[in-house]
Each structure stands twice: as C-alpha cells, then as structure tokens.
Amino acid sequence: MFTRYNLRLTNSSCLLETKTLIIQILAKLVATPHGSVAFLVSKGWLVLSKFAVEEPLSLLIMNLAFGAAIEVTGNTSEIQSNIHETISEWIKVFPSHSTRLFEHVHSLLGHISINQYSNVPSWLLPLTRRLLWSSTSRYDDPSHSRLVINGLSAFLMKCYPNHFPELLYGQPPSNDLTVKSKPYSWLFIQLRLIDIRSSVPSLIEGSSLAGYEATKARLTGCYDLVSAFISFLVKCSDAMSDSDEGSDKLPFNPSLVLQIREDISNVCSLTIEYLCDRFEAMRASGANGQALPGNKTTLDRLNLAATNLGPESMAEDPLVRSQLTMLSLYLREDEGEMLRKEAGRMRNAIFWLYGRAPDLRYPLIMILEQFQYNPGGLGSIGDNDGWKVLVDDLVRIVRSHAPDSTMVTCGKTIVDLMGPVVSHAIEEGKSKDEWQQFARIAIQLKAKGSRELLDLKGSVALLAIDLMTMSPHTMSKATAELRKKLVMVPSRLLTARDKMDEETHHDLDAAVENLKMRSLGIV
C-alpha cells in the first residue's frame, strides 16, 4: 500500500490536490504502530522529504513514524541511520534559515537517546552553517526563532560534544561565514549575550506574564551555548600554550576575543545580581504564595508572582542550573577580582542550593572554590553553615559504595577548599567543635573503593590529622585522644596502597611517622 502511494506522489502528473489527499491518508496510516513500521520499510520518508517545504503535514508524519517505529521495533541503529538520511534530504529542500527546519530536526533527533549519538553525520556541517547564517537573518517572530535555534544548538552540543563546538565556534573565516570582517561564529555568540543582557534584568518582574516560561527556555539555551563557548575558548587557550602557533589557535582575532570576554563578564555580573534577587524572592514567598514575616517589602519591591517563584522553584529551575554552570566555568578563568567579589554575594544562595539540588553540586563547589580569593571569603565559608554543608556532602561521597567521577572530583575540591578555610581560622585564633567531628568521621574510613575514592579518603585523613595537629591548645585534651585513634587511619588505608596514587601513598606514610613522633613527644 505504501509503495503505491509513494509511486503516486513521485509521479509528475499527480495533481497538487491529489498529493495533499495522499499525505492526509498517510498521516492516518502512520498513526498506528504497524503502519509506522511499514511506512519506514517502504522508504516513504525519503519520498515525503521532497514535499517537506510545501506540505507541513509531511514533517509531522515523519516524526510520528520514527517515534512509533522505535517503540515497536526497538531497532534504534537502523532507524537512526534513516533519521540521518531524512535530515540530509531536508537540508537540500529547505531555505537556508528556515526555523521550521531547525524545529523539526530537533524533534526528529529527540527520538534517539543522546548517548547513542557517536558517529558524526554528514549533515552536521551544513546544518551548523545554517545555524550560523541565522545570526543575520530576519524572522517574523524573532523570540520564537531564537528559542528554536538555541534549543537545537544546545541539543547538538549534548549529542556531539567533541565535534559540534568546533564546528559552531571554530570554523575558519570564509566569505560565506564572515560579515563585515566579523565571523558568523562571533555574531552567533554575541546575539546570545545580547539576549541575556536585555532579558535577565526584567525576568523576575515578568514572572507572571504569559511568555515567562518561553523566555526562560530561550535564555536557558543562551546560557548553555555561552558555557559551551567558554569551554571551547579554554580549550583553544590550552592549545596555544602547548604550541608555537600563538593566536592562530583562537576562534577569531584577539581583539574580538577580548571584546567577547568583556561582554561575558558583564553577563556574569548581571547573572549574579539576578540569582541574588531570585534567592531573596524565593525566601520572601511561602509555600502557599504568602510572604514570610519580615519579607513583604521584598515581594513589593520585586513585584513578584509568588506562585512562579515559590520555595522550591529555584532548586528545580533549568535556567538557574544553566546560569550556575556558566558562572562556574567563567569564574575559574577570569583573572579579575571584581567578579569574584560579586559572586561572594551568592554565598547564602549557594549553600541553600547545595543541600537541595544534588545535580548542582559540581558547579556550586566550583564557584565556592573561587571564594578563597576574596577578602573574607574563607571566613564566610567557615563561619556560616558552609562547613557543615560541605562536610555532610563529603561524608556522603566517602561512604558511597561506587561514587561516580563527578562526585569524587567534588569531594577532592571540598578537601582542597577546607584546607585554606582551616588555616585562615587558625591564623585568626579560632577553633571549632566541628573540627573534632570531622576527625571522628575520618577515624571511620575503610580501605575500600576505587583508586580515585581511596585517594580521596587519604586526603580526608590527612586533613583530619592537620586539624588535630594545628588545633589551638584549648582543644588539646580532646585532640590528644583523637590523635591516638587517627594514627591507625593512614595505616589502615595503606593496606590498599597498590591502588593508591603515589603522592597520596607518600603523604600517608609521612603522616603516620609524624603522628608516631608526636605521640612520643619528639615533635
């Protein structure tokens, strides 16, 4: 049946009305699971691709057919190959800047799990060039077009993380990818930065407006693309350091790179201000949209719709996640002090989110890492709930049976951050009961886990030993008992020395000797 319809559609004498009627019949047929499979077997998607521009229904048919066929057959590899062919056909027939093309490509790719995209398809380069050309295209609905373009671009970043950033940001300038001496890739990222700068300042006040969710989704895509650009820029800078080619490794000339870095810094500043206001707005609204005592003025000042910015909304918001990811990437690379000082204003928000949003912990700890470079930054972590929040997470990690690499990296960063926090406190003559609790946690460590986890446990033990060694004399009686028990921890961990990093192994050996000497009163 499908073969017969395919032949009729490709017949040059077929009237337009007849083609429309056949496409409508196909839409009903592919709505059934077996119909969708038969449609793909007959290569009906190749025929319909030729009518994708003049018959919008054909795009819907293909999307329905591929989605249903995957559910019925489970044969994702063959269907993935068909999807790649379909996209290649669409690129041939659609205008270069078609929003409809971008929208349906995104929808079609969504039928396959992101982790199943491995080989780079032939259509990725021509599609990327069209996304770049969209930077200077005029659309009837600019906001919707930016939403679609951002969504597809961010999705392709996830599908092809090792290839798409290079295609989007790193293509060498050419006549068809340059306008007024500026690469399209530069214009592409600049438009995302402009969109953020023009939209974020009024985002909270507009939380009750009809287009709020669409605006948030568009800005989330902007932040994801800026994050990908920052990562790409860091990669280029590292390549420059490792070669003699100098600025040739940069995606565009140094003056444009400098300008875009300044623009990203401005966006980071606006983002920090937004997150601080958003946190205050969240604290000012109760579970039922009622202002908490003493915070009514905050609600009035920000003109909030409390139902949109309720107590848990910040921890669950994809926009906040994308904003924090961008800040964590850029703050590590930015050499100026001003932005880090501004980030210190987010301290309360960061600690609140850290305990409520597990998937945000990595960017949050990366931001906290930068606090140590601020005047008073180390004290702000040690004097507030920060110490407890970080220790609780560290305990969760070291007690996990098989923590993933991100969790272990977070744990190592926490330990690296705690060292300066403790040194700062001791310099000011301060000590905390929580330090003894940390030592008790270290005493319970066992020589189990992967190489990375054992190295982390070793670092925790070494920090606990330092805490009990450097503690003020007012704690000497309590610390003396803990030191005796801590002597056994490095020795216990060293039973798995063959799985440890050589540096951790050496440091633990040294710690054992040091503790033994202290117990004998030699040091």
Side-chain angles (χ1 to χ4, degrees), residues 63-79:
N63 257 309
L64 286 173
F66 282 118
I70 289 175
E71 290 185 11
V72 173
T73 66
N75 188 356
T76 54
S77 58
E78 183 177 347
I79 293 175

Side-chain angles (χ1 to χ4, degrees), residues 52-69:
V53 177
E54 64 230 45
E55 289 289 351
L57 184 58
S58 63
L59 292 166
L60 179 61
I61 291 172
M62 286 182 274
N63 257 309
L64 286 173
F66 282 118

Side-chain angles (χ1 to χ4, degrees), residues 383-427:
D383 293 341
N384 294 283
D385 291 336
W387 179 271
K388 182 180 184 307
V389 169
L390 294 178
V391 169
D392 287 349
D393 193 33
L394 191 58
V395 170
R396 178 185 66 88
I397 294 168
V398 296
R399 290 180 178 174
S400 298
H401 294 296
D404 59 34
S405 58
T406 301
M407 288 175 64
V408 175
T409 301
C410 280
K412 289 179 178 177
T413 307
I414 290 171
V415 173
D416 291 343
L417 183 57
M418 283 178 166
V421 169
V422 170
S423 298
H424 175 78
I426 291 174
E427 285 175 8

Side-chain angles (χ1 to χ4, degrees), residues 80-114:
Q80 185 178 359
S81 176
N82 293 343
I83 285 176
H84 290 326
E85 282 191 67
T86 301
I87 294 174
S88 296
E89 290 299 317
W90 286 358
I91 289 174
K92 293 176 185 177
V93 300
F94 269 99
S96 62
H97 60 280
S98 172
T99 301
R100 201 148 54 92
L101 169 65
F102 301 144
E103 199 165 14
H104 284 279
V105 167
H106 191 179
S107 178
L108 201 59
L109 291 173
H111 292 307
I112 308 293
S113 299
I114 287 176

Side-chain angles (χ1 to χ4, degrees), residues 47 116 162 187 213 233 240 249 265-266 311 315 327 332-333 364 400 444 475 482:
V47 177
Q116 292 182 298
N162 297 323
L187 292 171
E213 292 300 329
L233 204 58
M240 282 175 55
K249 292 290 184 180
S265 294
N266 290 334
L327 287 172
R332 298 185 75 184
E333 302 303 322
L364 289 173
S400 298
Q444 299 173 14
M475 297 173 62
L482 289 171

Side-chain angles (χ1 to χ4, degrees), residues 16 46 50 111 124 170 204 243 248 255 310 391 398 410 418 445 484 486 511:
L16 179 60
L46 273 178
K50 303 180 187 301
H111 292 307
L124 189 58
I204 292 179
S243 72
D248 289 344
S255 63
V391 169
V398 296
C410 280
M418 283 178 166
L445 293 174
K484 291 179 183 178
L486 279 171

Side-chain angles (χ1 to χ4, degrees), residues 211-222:
Y212 175 68
E213 292 300 329
T215 301
K216 274 208 316 177
R218 190 183 76 244
L219 291 176
T220 298
C222 286

Side-chain angles (χ1 to χ4, degrees), residues 457-473:
K457 288 180 177 181
S459 298
V460 171
L462 290 168
L463 178 59
I465 291 168
D466 286 343
L467 279 173
M468 296 301 98
T469 302
M470 297 186 298
S471 295
H473 294 296

